[in-house]
C-alpha cells in the first residue's frame, strides 16, 4: 500500500528536520516512495519548513528527477548521451517503445512503468546503460532491456 | 604509461594518512597539500592548498567540508569507480581536510544517478567509525569529524560548486555570484571547501608520500597523477591513471583504438580535436584533464555528436542568465540547420560564432562559458564546407548562398 503523502512528509521531518536545508531530502523521500510529488506533499513541506508553496514548487520543477505528474511505480531511465547512443541506445529505446507501448516520459495505463531518457549516468565504460528504479543495468541489448523491464513487479 | 597511486593494487591502509596528519599541526597539513602542487581534480584546476589555506584562515566556529560527487560531465565515470572501491579513502581525505581547516562536518553531495552507491559509502563510514577514525575526540586529539551523504536530483548544474551549495540548502541549483567565495561564505554562509572526489582521495597519499614525491609523479610542471575515464570507439573502455601532463596518445594506446577521427577531451564542455593532435598533453595548460575522454572513429557523424551535446546543454542550462539560456538554444538550432542542410556555408555561421564568443565572455558560470567549446571545435575541425554540402541537400541549390 502506498502511504499518504502527508504521512511520508511527517516521517521525513522526524528524520531530516524542518529546516530550509531539509527540503531536498524531504522531496527526495516523497519522490522515491511515490515515484512523484503530489501537491499535498508540497503543501505539507511548505507548511513544516515555513517556506512558501511557490518556492517549494519551484524547487521541485528545477530538478529532473522530481515529477509533479504521477509516474509509474517502476521508472526506467535510459542514458541518452553519446557513448550510449554510439553503442545502440537508439535500438533499445525503439524496442522499449514497441514492447511497452509508451514514449519517453509517458506512463503505462496500469501505472506499472514510466520510461525516461536521461543525460550521462556515468556508465559509459559499460554502454549502453540504464537505471531501473535507481539500480544500474549495463551492456544492454534490446532483448536484454525488454527482459529486465518485463521482470519488474 | 600508467602510474598507479589512487588505483594501485597495494595501497597504504585506510586511515594511515589521517593518523599521520593528526600528529601535525593543521597549518602544516595545509602546507603539505599546497607544496604538493595538487590542483582540483573536478575540472577547474584551482590549487587545493590555496583553497584550504583561505578556508583555514576564515574565522568561524562552524565550517564545512563538502565533497563534490555530482560527476555529471558526459563521459566521466572516474569518481564512480573511486566511490565503488575507495570510499574509505575519500572519507579519510575529507577528514584530513576538516582537520586542516578546522571543520567537524563533512557532506558528500552525491548525484541521484549514483544513489545505488549509498550503501557502499555508508559501509565505509561505519568502518571508519568502528576504527575510531570518525566521531568525537578522534585518537584523543580533541578533534571531531563525521560525514553525511546528501543526494542531488538530476541536475548537471549542481556540479558547479555554488549551485551545489544552493541545492544543499534546499533550493534550486542556481549558481551564485562570486565573490563571496565558498571559502569565506559557503554552505549556510559558513566557510566551506568544496572538492572533487578524486582530490580528496589523493590527499592521504600526499600526506604519506610527502609533497615532493607527489609533485614528481607528474610530467614537467604538472603535479601528481590523474584519473581518466575513456569510452567511445576504444577496445578497453574504463578508468586509467596516468601522470598529469601525459600525452593523450598514451591514454588512447592503453584503451586501444585503431581508427580515430576525433577525440573529445574533458567532456561535452571540453575540447574536440582531430587524430593528428593526440600528441598534446593532458594538463591544465593544454587539453583539459577533467576526466572524460571519448574517441570517435571515422564512421561517426560529428554533427550528430554535436547535436547530442547541444541538446544536453539546452536541457541543463539553469536558465538564470540570458547568454547561456538563449545562446545554447540558438546554437542547437544552428546545428539542426547544418544537419538538415539549411545552413551549408561558413559565412552563414559567422553570427553564431560571434554569439559563441559572447556566451564565453558573458555567461555567469562555467556551463555557459564552456558550452560553446564543442560547437566551435567540431565545426572548425570536422565540418568541411569547401567540399560538398554537409547534408547533400544543400541550400545553395535554392540560391540562398
Ligand atoms: C557546470 C559545471 C559543472 C561542474 N560539475 C562538477 C562535478 O560534477 N564534479 C566536480 O568535482 N566539479 C564540478 N565542477 C567544478 C566545481 O565548480 C568546483 O570547481 C569543484 O568541485 C572544486 O573541486 P576541486 O578543486 O577539487 O576540483 C563543475 C563546474 C561547472 C561550471
Ligand atoms: S551560465 Fe547557464 S548554467 Fe550558468 S548561471 Fe548562466 S544560465 Fe545558469
Amino acid at each position: 500500500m502506498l502511504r499518504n503523502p502527508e504521512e511520508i512528509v511527517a516521517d521525513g521531518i522526524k528524520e531530516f528536520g524542518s529546516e530550509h536545508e531539509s527540503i531536498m531530502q524531504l522531496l527526495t523521500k516523497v519522490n522515491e516512495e511515490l515515484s512523484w510529488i503530489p501537491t499535498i506533499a508540497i503543501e505539507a513541506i511548505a507548511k513544516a519548513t515555513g517556506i512558501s508553496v511557490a518556492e517549494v514548487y519551484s524547487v521541485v520543477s528545477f530538478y529532473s528527477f522530481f515529477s509533479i505528474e504521477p509516474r509509474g511505480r517502476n521508472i526506467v531511465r535510459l542514458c541518452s548521451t553519446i557513448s550510449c547512443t554510439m553503442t545502440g541506445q537508439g535500438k533499445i529505446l525503439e524496442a522499449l517503445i514497441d514492447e511497452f507501448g509508451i514514449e519517453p516520459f509517458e506512463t503505462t495505463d496500469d501505472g506499472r512503468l514510466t520510461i525516461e531518457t536521461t543525460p550521462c549516468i556515468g556508465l559509459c565504460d559499460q554502454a549502453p546503460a540504464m537505471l531501473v528504479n535507481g539500480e544500474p543495468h549495463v551492456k544492454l541489448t534490446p532483448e536484454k532491456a525488454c527482459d529486465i523491464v518485463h521482470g519488474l513487479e | 604509461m600508467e602510474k598507479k597511486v589512487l588505483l594501485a593494487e597495494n595501497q597504504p591502509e585506510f586511515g594511515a594518512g589521517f593518523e599521520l596528519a593528526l600528529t601535525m599541526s593543521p597549518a602544516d597539513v595545509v602546507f603539505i597539500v599546497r607544496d604538493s602542487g595538487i590542483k582540483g581534480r573536478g575540472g577547474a584546476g584551482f590549487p587545493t592548498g590555496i583553497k584550504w589555506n583561505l578556508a583555514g584562515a576564515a574565522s568561524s566556529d562552524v565550517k564545512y567540508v563538502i565533497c563534490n560527487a555530482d560527476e555529471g560531465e558526459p563521459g566521466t565515470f572516474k569518481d564512480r569507480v573511486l566511490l565503488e572501491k575507495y570510499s574509505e579513502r575519500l572519507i579519510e581525505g575529507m577528514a584530513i581536510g576538516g582537520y586542516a581547516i578546522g571543520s567537524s562536518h563533512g557532506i558528500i553531495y552525491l548525484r541521484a544517478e549514483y544513489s545505488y552507491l549509498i550503501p557502499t559509502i555508508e559501509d565505509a563510514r561505519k568502518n571508519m567509525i568502528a576504527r575510531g577514525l570518525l566521531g568525537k575526540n578522534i585518537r584523543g586529539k580533541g578533534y571531531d569529524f563525521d560525514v553525511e551523504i546528501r543526494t542531488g536530483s538530476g541536475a548537471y548544474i549542481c556540479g558547479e560548486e555554488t549551485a551545489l551549495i544552493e541545492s544543499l540548502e534546499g533550493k534550486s541549483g542556481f549558481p551564485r555570484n562570486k565573490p563571496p567565495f565558498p571559502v569565506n561564505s559557503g554552505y549556510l554562509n559558513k566557510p566551506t571547501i568544496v572538492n572533487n572526489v578524486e582530490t580528496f582521495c589523493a590527499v592521504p597519499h600526499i600526506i604519506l608520500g610527502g609533497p615532493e614525491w607527489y609533485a614528481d609523479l607528474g610530467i614537467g610542471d604538472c603535479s601528481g597523477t590523474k584519473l581518466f575515464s575513456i569510452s567511445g570507439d576504444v577496445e578497453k573502455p574504463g578508468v586509467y591513471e596516468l601522470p598529469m601532463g601525459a600525452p593523450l596518445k598514451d591514454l588512447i594506446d592503453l584503451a586501444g583504438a585503431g581508427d580515430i577521427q576525433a577525440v573529445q577531451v574533458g567532456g561535452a564542455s571540453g575540447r574536440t580535436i582531430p587524430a593528428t593532435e593526440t600528441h598534446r598533453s593532458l594538463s591544465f595548460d593544454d587539453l583539459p584533464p577533467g576526466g572524460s575522454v571519448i574517441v570517435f572513429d571515422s564512421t561517426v557523424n560529428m554533427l550528430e555528436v554535436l547535436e547530442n551535446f547541444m541538446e544536453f546543454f539546452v536541457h541543463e542550462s539553469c536558465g538564470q542568465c540570458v547568454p547561456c539560456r538563449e545562446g545554447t538554444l540558438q546554437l542547437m538550432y544552428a546545428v539542426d540547420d547544418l544537419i538538415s542542410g539549411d545552413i551549408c556555408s561558413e559565412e552563414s555561421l559567422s553570427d553564431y560564432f560571434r554569439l559563441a564568443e559572447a556566451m564565453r565572455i558573458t555567461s555567469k558560470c562555467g556551463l555557459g562559458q564552456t558550452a560553446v567549446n564543442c560547437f566551435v571545435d567540431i565545426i572548425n575541425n570536422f565540418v568541411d564546407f569547401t567540399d560538398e554540402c554537409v547534408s547533400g541537400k544543400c541550400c545553395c541549390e535554392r540560391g540562398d548562398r
Side-chain angles (χ1 to χ4, degrees):
Chain A
M1 257 310 277
L2 289 178
R3 289 201 293 166
N4 159 338
E6 282 162 315
E7 195 183 324
I8 303 173
V9 173
D11 241 26
I13 285 166
K14 274 184 224 145
E15 197 178 342
F16 307 116
S18 58
E19 317 304 321
H20 196 158
E21 60 271 22
S22 313
I23 288 180
M24 283 292 283
Q25 288 157 295
L26 295 170
L27 290 171
T28 301
K29 192 176 167 79
V30 176
N31 195 57
E32 277 181 359
E33 237 183 274
L34 302 178
S35 292
W36 66 296
I37 304 180
T39 310
I40 15 172
I42 294 178
E43 287 166 355
I45 291 173
K47 193 163 167 227
T49 54
I51 308 298
S52 73
V53 173
E55 198 175 335
V56 179
Y57 181 86
S58 80
V59 174
V60 174
S61 65
F62 186 86
Y63 295 93
S64 62
F65 271 36
F66 295 152
S67 171
I68 48 162
E69 303 280 335
R71 282 187 294 198
R73 61 179 179 275
N74 296 296
I75 300 179
V76 169
R77 293 191 172 96
L78 184 66
C79 175
S80 59
T81 297
I82 204 74
S83 291
C84 282
T85 58
M86 282 165 70
T87 43
Q89 182 262 12
K91 291 240 156 52
I92 296 167
L93 184 58
E94 261 171 46
L96 290 172
I97 291 172
D98 277 359
E99 188 79 12
F100 300 97
I102 45 171
E103 293 286 328
F105 301 96
E106 288 180 359
T107 300
T108 52
D109 291 337
D110 59 3
R112 193 179 83 92
L113 176 69
T114 300
I115 296 175
E116 299 188 347
T117 53
T118 190
C120 190
I121 52 176
L123 292 163
C124 329
D125 51 340
Q126 303 157 70
M130 65 182 180
L131 296 172
V132 179
N133 299 329
E135 289 299 318
H137 295 270
V138 299
K139 297 190 176 157
L140 297 171
T141 59
E143 299 73 42
K144 189 172 163 188
C146 289
D147 284 351
I148 291 166
V149 179
H150 271 301
L152 298 168
E153 269 181 37
Chain B
M1 275 292 283
E2 277 186 290
K3 194 176 256 182
K4 292 188 179 181
V5 176
L6 270 61
L7 301 181
E9 300 271 317
N10 292 316
Q11 297 226 359
E13 202 191 351
F14 292 129
F18 182 34
E19 302 224 30
L20 183 60
L22 284 173
T23 65
M24 307 172 185
S25 75
D28 284 342
V29 174
V30 172
F31 294 146
I32 289 176
V33 173
R34 188 195 62 191
D35 294 346
S36 77
I38 184 172
K39 293 180 178 173
R41 268 38 180 158
F46 190 80
T48 306
I50 295 181
K51 185 182 282 185
W52 289 18
N53 195 21
L54 291 166
S59 67
S60 173
D61 297 346
V62 182
K63 298 182 187 179
Y64 292 97
V65 174
I66 294 177
C67 170
N68 189 341
D70 198 51
E71 187 162 66
E73 189 63 52
T76 314
F77 46 92
K78 64 176 184 78
D79 293 344
R80 185 202 84 221
V81 169
L82 287 173
L83 291 162
E84 282 169 354
K85 295 195 185 137
Y86 302 104
S87 277
E88 267 115 334
R89 186 73 74 213
L90 163 66
I91 296 172
E92 180 186 2
M94 293 176 72
I96 296 171
Y99 179 71
I101 68 159
S103 160
S104 297
H105 197 134
I107 302 173
I108 299 173
Y109 185 88
L110 184 71
R111 68 188 305 221
E113 290 82 346
Y114 290 174
S115 291
Y116 61 91
L117 294 174
I118 293 175
T120 309
I121 306 170
E122 260 313 325
D123 282 349
R125 174 177 166 266
K126 286 187 188 129
N127 285 343
M128 301 284 281
I129 293 174
R131 294 185 43 211
L133 292 166
L134 283 182
K136 298 262 179 244
N137 192 17
I138 297 166
R139 292 289 186 265
K141 300 278 180 187
Y143 170 59
D144 307 340
F145 192 77
D146 204 349
V147 293
E148 62 171 310
I149 307 168
R150 307 264 287 269
T151 54
S153 203
Y156 166 68
I157 191 58
C158 290
E160 195 282 334
E161 58 184 9
T162 61
L164 184 157
I165 289 170
E166 289 284 301
S167 178
L168 279 177
E169 291 183 355
K171 303 175 198 155
S172 302
F174 292 123
R176 293 177 178 175
N177 287 322
K178 295 192 243 185
F181 292 95
V183 287
N184 293 310
S185 178
Y187 181 55
L188 303 176
N189 300 323
K190 301 291 182 194
T192 302
I193 53 169
V194 181
N195 281 115
N196 176 253
V197 175
E198 186 184 346
T199 312
F200 281 123
C201 284
V203 164
H205 295 284
I206 294 173
I207 299 291
L208 289 169
E212 293 82 19
W213 164 80
Y214 186 78
D216 286 347
L217 292 169
I219 294 177
D221 289 343
C222 303
S223 166
T225 60
K226 180 77 190 74
L227 302 189
F228 295 97
S229 335
I230 182 165
S231 65
D233 291 315
V234 293
E235 285 147 32
K236 290 170 285 177
V239 175
Y240 296 88
E241 184 170 8
L242 279 83
M244 184 70 100
L248 172 60
K249 198 180 158 303
D250 285 11
L251 174 65
I252 294 174
D253 288 347
L254 283 168
D259 163 26
I260 302 173
Q261 176 186 193
V263 188
Q264 189 175 53
V265 187
S269 62
R271 312 299 321 201
T272 313
I273 58 165
T276 48
E277 291 182 26
T278 53
H279 58 275
R280 290 172 60 182
S281 81
L282 296 157
S283 71
F284 292 108
D285 302 323
D286 193 1
L287 295 170
S292 158
V293 174
I294 307 178
V295 176
F296 303 100
D297 71 18
S298 56
T299 66
V300 177
N301 178 345
M302 291 307 289
L303 274 178
E304 284 172 10
V305 173
L306 180 54
E307 184 188 30
N308 188 286
F309 289 133
M310 287 324 300
E311 283 171 3
F312 170 77
F313 286 121
V314 168
H315 187 255
E316 298 302 329
S317 165
C318 81
Q320 194 181 189
C321 64
V322 177
C324 169
R325 185 183 64 226
E326 296 304 319
T328 49
L329 205 59
Q330 292 306 322
L331 295 187
M332 185 180 79
Y333 292 152
V335 176
D336 289 344
D337 284 351
L338 275 165
I339 290 173
S340 68
D342 287 326
I343 293 181
C344 74
S345 71
E346 223 162 347
E347 303 91 82
S348 23
L349 279 173
S350 62
D351 281 351
Y352 291 102
F353 277 95
R354 281 174 51 215
L355 172 66
E357 196 45 36
M359 289 166 68
R360 197 197 299 281
I361 298 166
T362 61
S363 291
K364 177 165 170 176
C365 86
L367 190 149
Q369 292 159 11
T370 57
V372 302
N373 289 342
C374 58
F375 183 87
V376 171
D377 285 354
I378 290 180
I379 290 179
N380 281 340
N381 291 328
F382 303 100
V383 180
D384 196 350
F385 292 103
T386 53
D387 263 10
E388 302 157 43
C389 267
V390 209
S391 64
K393 42 178 179 170
C394 125
C395 60
C396 321
E397 284 166 22
R398 303 200 306 261
D400 303 0
R401 204 167 177 179

